[in-house]
Amino acid sequence: MRRLLVAGNWKMNGSVSMTDDLLSRLLDADVSACDVAVFPSFPYLSSARKQLNGSAMLLGAQNCAEEESGAYTGEVSATMLQDIGCHLCLVGHSERRTLYGEDNDTVLNKVQRLLNAGISPVVCIGETLSDRQSGQENAVVTRQLQQLLSELSEEQWQHITLAYEPVWAIGTGETATPDQAQGMHAFIRSLLHQVSEETAQKTRILYGGSVRAANAVELFAQPDIDGGLVGGASLDAAEFLEICCS
Ligand code: PGA
């Protein structure tokens, strides 16, 4: 049985006081029904780590460098994230792919860096609107996953979470219907059989793209949807908590 994970991707939002306030509200609530993770921006990770100490809430970063260390001004390595106590890191978010040119090779390199550092990657995949309109969604997602499926071992897959985020649903208010999302999640799970039966059964696949309190119950009720990667709605404590209890 896969346990639900609800992950809040704060993107480039927040401040010291906002991080403090949002986390205090989340920590005051009982969210033991599922796993909960927050992904603040780099400058707030250390203070978030201190605030979360002693709680079960997981801490994640939104990005990491492809390289191990050295002369890469402005980059943050997987080892540094491990050093400050991160458990998770997003990789291949569609905003990174479209705005910063991350391709599937970059994603594989980052995933390997993270795994070597003992951090669990949350790998984002998903098709654009034109991919879907031309019936290419399965082909696109297959391409995005192919190297990970062939290069990583079954043991490494135990530490990976996938997030299916149709690009047309991110930040648009337009959500995939539960049927559309379930169809794609089942397809992704079928691809995981290439690694092993157990990997297909155990890997969590989150849905992302305009998840709200109003649609989370129905989405999370689908058999192959194991929680959500929540952007905009994760900045509102009350709404995020309602999603966590869905
Ligand atoms: P959204 O973002 O919930 O605001 O659509 C999701 C994401 O980008 O992870």
Side-chain angles (χ1 to χ4, degrees):
M1 192 55 189
R2 297 177 299 270
R3 193 169 147 83
L4 281 190
L5 169 64
V6 179
N9 173 12
W10 295 4
K11 307 195 180 185
M12 198 172 73
N13 294 295
S15 61
V16 171
S17 62
M18 178 272 211
T19 302
D20 185 75
D21 184 56
L22 188 46
L23 289 181
S24 305
R25 285 166 197 252
L26 299 183
L27 289 169
D28 277 348
D30 175 13
V31 285
S32 53
C34 66
D35 290 336
V36 178
V38 289
F39 293 75
S41 294
F42 287 136
Y44 307 120
L45 287 172
S46 270
S47 61
R49 169 72 280 148
K50 291 194 188 89
Q51 219 175 332
L52 293 180
N53 268 349
S55 98
M57 207 170 288
L58 301 166
L59 181 67
Q62 297 172 19
N63 186 27
C64 75
E66 261 186 277
E67 298 80 14
E68 171 59 39
S69 66
Y72 301 102
T73 302
E75 291 291 285
V76 174
S77 74
T79 323
M80 292 171 181
L81 297 177
Q82 190 275 335
D83 191 33
I84 60 161
C86 285
H87 308 100
L88 304 164
C89 183
L90 299 180
V91 189
H93 189 280
S94 75
E95 286 150 20
R96 301 289 322 166
R97 291 180 191 261
T98 44
L99 302 174
Y100 301 98
E102 281 193 11
D103 59 15
N104 296 327
D105 291 331
T106 319
V107 170
L108 177 65
N109 289 338
K110 290 186 177 188
V111 165
Q112 282 170 327
R113 290 286 177 213
L114 289 165
L115 290 171
N116 290 341
I119 294 188
S120 300
V122 178
V123 181
C124 306
I125 53 176
E127 81 286 356
T128 63
L129 185 58
S130 68
D131 294 332
R132 184 163 276 266
Q133 283 169 340
S134 56
Q136 291 301 303
E137 64 272 23
N138 288 4
V140 168
V141 164
T142 304
R143 260 200 312 279
Q144 290 171 332
L145 279 177
Q146 201 51 62
Q147 283 165 286
L148 299 171
L149 294 171
S150 53
E151 300 286 329
L152 302 179
S153 68
E154 189 176 353
E155 201 281 320
Q156 288 176 308
W157 269 98
Q158 288 177 23
H159 306 285
I160 293 178
T161 297
L162 295 177
Y164 168 60
E165 299 202 298
V167 178
W168 47 271
I170 296 177
T172 58
E174 194 176 335
T175 322
T177 65
D179 278 356
Q180 279 174 325
Q182 165 56 26
M184 182 54 96
H185 281 233
F187 174 70
I188 293 166
R189 200 171 298 290
S190 75
L191 296 176
L192 293 172
H193 280 101
Q194 289 176 37
V195 182
S196 73
E197 173 65 34
E198 200 178 325
T199 302
Q201 288 307 321
K202 289 196 170 162
T203 303
R204 285 197 281 207
I205 309 174
L206 312 183
Y207 169 79
S210 298
V211 174
R212 295 271 177 277
N215 56 30
V217 173
E218 226 188 328
L219 285 163
F220 297 175
Q222 304 304 311
D224 289 295
I225 299 183
D226 308 312
L229 181 55
V230 185
S234 70
L235 299 170
D236 180 316
E239 178 145 25
F240 187 64
L241 287 168
E242 214 176 313
I243 294 169
C244 293
C245 297
S246 296

